Amino acid sequence: MQFVYHKKAGEAEITLEGEDYHHIFRVRRHKAESLALRNLEDTNIYFYKITFLDKRESHLSLQHTEETNLQNPPKGHLIWAFIEPKIIEKTIPFLNELNLTQITFFYADFSQKQYHLDLERVARIIEHSCEQCGRITRLKIEILAHLDEVLQKYPKIAVMDFCTQSISAPLEIPFLIGPEGGLSTKEREILQPQFHFSAPNCNILRSETAAIYALSKII
């Protein structure tokens, strides 16, 4: 663990209790007398002394603050058709570690419309991933209703689909990954004017594998 996330990092005094306390002192089994905290809103790291600790809560006192430079700025914007939420949740830490800037989810024709993300749970997954990999900026999550709304907001995108053209250089535009089952005929027609790319030396990829592959090539 590179640091501990806390939304109040930067305040002079912090009380850890409930889930925050459990995560740090039960799950992470923290033993030291101090903690390094980040809030993922600024690039500072805040060092706290543990002034009180019992079986239910801990009191922290801010000792000093260090400003850190963002040496590895996030890159890439994934537009991802909804797939099963538990698969998305398992994949997000990989995308966060690869330093993706943003994910925009949308409902494609072949997405099952009953799928909904628990955004609070996703936020916790991102926070814990940042703690592990040392990322100091938060992966942004956005949800749009359908492909038309995506294209209204992001009119120029790249589409990963079955074709012969591979990525030869980093992309500066958002890239779209379809759901399991791919894109519908209607969606292919709508997206026909957009730039298309593929993974010519790969087998058939699952949606989450395609997302990781595309991001690894793009960055």
Side-chain angles (χ1 to χ4, degrees), residues 81 108-111 160-162 177-185 187-188 207:
D109 289 346
F110 293 155
S111 294
M160 188 171 184
D161 204 354
F162 294 104
I177 303 294
E180 298 297 336
L183 300 168
S184 69
T185 300
E187 289 169 333
R188 290 177 187 277
S207 180

Side-chain angles (χ1 to χ4, degrees), residues 74-83 87-88 91-96 98-106 135 139-144 150 154 156-160 171-179 197 206-216 218-219:
K75 297 179 182 178
H77 178 184
L78 168 62
I79 299 174
W80 195 3
F82 265 109
I83 58 174
I87 297 176
I88 291 174
T91 308
I92 279 178
F94 297 106
L95 299 173
N96 188 64
L98 288 169
N99 223 24
L100 179 67
T101 300
Q102 177 176 330
I103 305 175
T104 296
F105 291 100
F106 75 101
R135 176 171 173 168
L139 172 62
K140 299 175 183 177
I141 302 295
E142 177 184 43
I143 297 178
L144 299 179
V150 168
Y154 307 106
K156 187 176 182 181
I157 64 174
V159 181
M160 188 171 184
L171 282 175
E172 301 296 335
I173 57 176
F175 60 100
L176 183 147
I177 303 294
F197 67 95
R206 292 173 297 175
S207 180
E208 66 272 23
T209 308
I212 294 172
Y213 170 88
L215 178 58
S216 68
I218 286 167
I219 61 175

Side-chain angles (χ1 to χ4, degrees), residues 24-219:
I24 295 170
F25 295 103
R26 293 289 183 261
V27 177
R28 300 298 183 191
R29 299 181 183 276
H30 185 80
K31 301 296 183 182
E33 296 181 356
S34 62
L35 279 170
L37 272 59
R38 290 187 185 272
N39 55 35
L40 300 180
E41 300 296 333
D42 57 42
T43 59
N44 295 336
I45 185 166
Y46 302 94
F47 294 91
Y48 286 83
K49 181 179 180 181
I50 300 174
T51 57
F52 173 81
L53 177 64
D54 65 9
K55 294 182 178 180
R56 294 187 177 182
E57 66 179 28
S58 175
H59 299 170
L60 310 179
S61 179
L62 180 63
Q63 299 298 294
H64 68 280
T65 302
E66 292 182 7
E67 184 177 354
T68 52
N69 295 324
L70 187 59
Q71 298 180 354
N72 186 24
K75 297 179 182 178
H77 178 184
L78 168 62
I79 299 174
W80 195 3
F82 265 109
I83 58 174
E84 194 172 353
K86 68 178 182 180
I87 297 176
I88 291 174
E89 292 175 359
K90 289 180 179 179
T91 308
I92 279 178
F94 297 106
L95 299 173
N96 188 64
E97 290 173 25
L98 288 169
N99 223 24
L100 179 67
T101 300
Q102 177 176 330
I103 305 175
T104 296
F105 291 100
F106 75 101
Y107 289 95
D109 289 346
F110 293 155
S111 294
Q112 296 186 38
K113 302 304 187 289
Q114 76 272 20
Y115 288 158
H116 300 283
L117 279 182
D118 182 340
L119 293 179
E120 290 187 3
R121 177 176 170 82
V122 168
R124 291 195 298 271
I125 290 171
I126 292 171
E127 290 156 7
H128 295 334
S129 172
C130 288
E131 290 177 338
Q132 289 295 316
C133 72
R135 176 171 173 168
I136 65 175
T137 58
R138 187 188 299 272
L139 172 62
K140 299 175 183 177
I141 302 295
E142 177 184 43
I143 297 178
L144 299 179
H146 42 66
L147 182 58
D148 288 342
E149 189 173 354
V150 168
L151 292 175
Q152 287 173 7
K153 190 167 184 179
Y154 307 106
K156 187 176 182 181
I157 64 174
V159 181
M160 188 171 184
D161 204 354
F162 294 104
C163 63
T164 59
Q165 185 172 2
S166 61
I167 304 173
S168 59
L171 282 175
E172 301 296 335
I173 57 176
F175 60 100
L176 183 147
I177 303 294
E180 298 297 336
L183 300 168
S184 69
T185 300
K186 177 184 175 182
E187 289 169 333
R188 290 177 187 277
E189 292 175 353
I190 294 172
L191 293 169
Q192 194 277 331
Q194 304 290 340
F195 174 77
H196 287 65
F197 67 95
S198 180
N201 297 318
C202 295
N203 299 313
I204 296 174
L205 303 179
R206 292 173 297 175
S207 180
E208 66 272 23
T209 308
I212 294 172
Y213 170 88
L215 178 58
S216 68
K217 293 293 184 180
I218 286 167
I219 61 175

